[in-house]
């Protein structure tokens, strides 16, 4: 069954949000590289790629359901933050907004009885649990680290091992 026009529009908006997420995290990677925190930067680069794969997943689904993908302009992300902690707080808050956006899509799918899209979106519902937990864990660790430079550099090494 072909997708409802409203659903195609909302899924395209979600593609835009995922690409903005990639752009935001790429900008955070650049901020961390500017501080020589290469492990933090690596983590953000991997995350940025993951966001693009989320956009791709929705893109493929729209075509599987005979819809049309349409790109919109991407907002400009911030380029610097007060501290690694403030960058990760923003990343965590951003993930909360993405979760709300996925929830809204699920609500729409339910409202128009689009069972296929509701089922497709369950992958994103589960993924958001992980996205929130990962960023929150880093926020908590950075709060514990505080001004301890040695601990920050050790954590930098740990984050750099993300594949
Ligand atoms: Fe694609 Fe980080 O949510």
């Amino acid at each position: 069954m072909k997708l409802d026009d409203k659903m195609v529009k909302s899924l395209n908006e979600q593609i835009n949000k995922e690409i903005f997420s990639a752009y935001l995290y790429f900008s955070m990677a650049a901020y961390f590289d500017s501080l020589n925190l290469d492990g933090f930067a690596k983590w953000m680069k991997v995350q940025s790629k993951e966001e693009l794969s989320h956009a791709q997943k929705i893109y493929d689904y729209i075509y599987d359901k005979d819809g049309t993908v349409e790109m919109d302009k991407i907002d400009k992300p911030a380029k610097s933050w007060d501290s690694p902690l403030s960058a990760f707080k923003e990343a965590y808050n951003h993930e909360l907004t993405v979760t709300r956006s996925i929830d809204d899509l699920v609500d729409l799918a339910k409202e128009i009885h689009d069972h296929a899209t509701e089922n497709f979106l369950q992958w994103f519902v589960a993924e958001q649990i992980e996205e929130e937990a990962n960023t929150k864990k880093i926020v908590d660790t950075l709060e514990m680290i505080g001004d301890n430079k040695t601990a920050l550099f050790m954590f930098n090494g740990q984050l750099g091992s993300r594949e």
Side-chain angles (χ1 to χ4, degrees), residues 18 21 25 47 51 54 95 98 128 131:
E18 300 292 347
S21 303
Y25 296 145
Q47 186 62 32
E51 297 300 348
H54 296 168
E95 288 305 327
V98 174
Q128 281 311 117
E131 297 280 83

Side-chain angles (χ1 to χ4, degrees), residues 23-24 26-35 76-88 90:
Y23 214 31
L24 173 66
F26 209 34
S27 186
M28 287 182 179
Y31 161 71
F32 285 123
D33 268 325
S34 78
L35 299 178
K76 186 176 176 174
K79 61 177 177 185
S80 68
W81 288 266
D82 290 342
S83 61
L85 175 61
S86 87
F88 267 94
E90 182 172 334

Side-chain angles (χ1 to χ4, degrees), residues 3-162:
L3 287 171
D4 181 278
D5 287 349
K6 208 163 140 196
M7 184 52 88
V8 173
K9 189 170 175 284
S10 300
L11 288 170
N12 269 300
E13 283 166 6
Q14 190 63 34
I15 288 181
N16 187 274
K17 287 173 191 167
E18 300 292 347
I19 295 176
F20 173 74
S21 303
Y23 214 31
L24 173 66
Y25 296 145
F26 209 34
S27 186
M28 287 182 179
Y31 161 71
F32 285 123
D33 268 325
S34 78
L35 299 178
N36 274 324
L37 288 170
D38 58 343
F40 281 86
K42 168 86 186 300
W43 193 96
M44 282 296 175
K45 285 171 196 166
V46 173
Q47 186 62 32
S48 181
K49 269 194 203 152
E50 215 175 283
E51 297 300 348
L52 286 180
S53 78
H54 296 168
Q56 179 78 57
K57 217 176 172 65
I58 302 166
Y59 175 113
D60 291 341
Y61 177 72
I62 292 174
Y63 278 117
D64 283 347
K65 295 288 289 176
D66 204 17
T68 306
V69 169
E70 228 181 291
M71 298 298 153
D72 205 342
K73 69 173 176 358
I74 309 294
D75 287 341
K76 186 176 176 174
K79 61 177 177 185
S80 68
W81 288 266
D82 290 342
S83 61
L85 175 61
S86 87
F88 267 94
K89 273 187 177 166
E90 182 172 334
Y92 173 58
N93 284 322
H94 180 69
E95 288 305 327
L96 295 179
T97 66
V98 174
T99 299
R100 278 193 287 273
S101 170
I102 297 291
D103 287 348
D104 288 346
L105 280 169
V106 174
D107 287 346
L108 174 64
K110 282 182 195 281
E111 192 188 309
I112 62 176
H113 307 292
D114 180 349
H115 296 187
T117 305
E118 191 186 337
N119 182 59
F120 165 73
L121 290 168
Q122 291 313 308
W123 184 90
F124 285 88
V125 171
E127 177 70 6
Q128 281 311 117
I129 298 171
E130 207 181 288
E131 297 280 83
E132 284 179 31
N134 289 345
T135 44
K136 179 70 167 59
K137 227 176 272 170
I138 297 174
V139 166
D140 291 348
T141 305
L142 285 170
E143 268 168 351
M144 251 184 316
I145 286 173
D147 290 334
N148 185 332
K149 291 241 179 322
T150 312
L152 184 73
F153 277 97
M154 278 174 64
F155 193 39
N156 179 60
Q158 198 182 317
L159 290 182
S161 66
R162 184 177 184 191

